[in-house]
Amino acid sequence: IQNRNMSSNFSDVEGGNVRESPNLGGNQEATGGIFSKIKNGIFGAGSTISTAASNIYNRNYKYFAISFGIGAVLIMVSFFFLPLVVLSPHKFCLFFSLGSIAIVASFAFLQDPYEFLKSLFSPEKRLYSICYMISLLLSIYFSLIAKNYIGTLIASIFQMVSLLWFVCYHFPGGISGLKTLTRWIFSS
């Protein structure tokens, strides 16, 4: 009986759980309390880090989807003005430019905005980025400032091509990632 009492004064570890004995006499810090604090510290820190990482990951993809969706809606609205492009190309150009900016901003949500800007001007993406920015600025200039009909049409076509080119090379996974996404969307 005395041997059984002695063993009940120590903490039992069963299946990774620390079970403290009720017969510790107020000295929980010396035995089970320390072990449970260490266990909670080790396993709690790992879950906190993974939870924080998954929250950042989910938040960025949520903002990417929202911004990309807004850009897609604005571009669709711009195509409603496509039949009227003969009369007023600046309406088409304005909606298309705003949608285009929202789509590019959505890619900044996938990465840190500073990292995204660095990647825009990396040697392999520099040409696509510069063409897109020039086309965007020319479209806005010809449609809102110069109000030049022919310049707006040419700049808008240049912007459409460069936006498609930009999206293909900045989409995660590149062109193969874009093909996989479109296959997944159209197969459902």
Side-chain angles (χ1 to χ4, degrees):
I1 291 178
Q2 192 173 9
N3 195 12
R4 204 168 69 183
N5 246 352
M6 282 296 281
S7 68
S8 68
N9 286 334
F10 296 101
S11 297
D12 295 324
V13 179
E14 295 177 332
N17 295 326
V18 175
R19 186 179 69 179
E20 297 175 26
S21 172
N23 296 332
L24 291 174
N27 194 8
Q28 289 182 351
E29 288 294 321
T31 58
I34 292 174
F35 293 123
S36 72
K37 285 182 183 179
I38 291 171
K39 183 182 101 174
N40 289 340
I42 291 171
F43 294 115
S47 67
T48 303
I49 292 170
S50 66
T51 302
S54 69
N55 285 342
I56 290 170
Y57 179 78
N58 290 334
R59 187 186 74 220
N60 286 347
Y61 272 109
K62 181 173 61 170
Y63 292 144
F64 166 76
I66 290 169
S67 182
F68 197 87
I70 289 171
V73 166
L74 287 170
I75 287 176
M76 283 191 286
V77 168
S78 75
F79 284 121
F80 288 127
F81 288 106
L82 198 54
L84 302 174
V85 79
V86 175
L87 302 174
S88 64
H90 68 276
K91 288 182 183 178
F92 167 79
C93 185
L94 181 65
F95 280 108
F96 192 82
S97 296
L98 289 174
S100 171
I101 291 169
I103 286 175
V104 170
S106 72
F107 286 104
F109 287 120
L110 287 177
Q111 304 172 4
D112 178 54
Y114 178 71
E115 291 297 320
F116 177 70
L117 285 175
K118 278 184 11 184
S119 77
L120 281 179
F121 296 105
S122 65
E124 60 272 352
K125 294 181 181 178
R126 187 176 302 147
L127 178 64
Y128 311 117
S129 302
I130 291 174
C131 284
Y132 169 73
M133 287 182 206
I134 288 172
S135 70
L136 179 68
L137 291 173
L138 285 175
S139 295
I140 292 172
Y141 172 77
F142 283 126
S143 66
L144 297 178
I145 297 169
K147 299 195 187 255
N148 185 333
Y149 179 82
I150 301 293
T152 302
L153 285 176
I154 293 171
S156 294
I157 292 169
F158 181 44
Q159 185 184 359
M160 283 190 279
V161 170
S162 64
L163 178 65
L164 182 63
W165 198 18
F166 182 88
V167 168
C168 285
Y169 285 96
H170 282 82
F171 197 80
I175 295 176
S176 62
L178 199 57
K179 286 179 184 177
T180 303
L181 179 67
T182 53
R183 256 188 267 127
W184 179 74
I185 289 172
F186 290 119
S187 68
S188 338

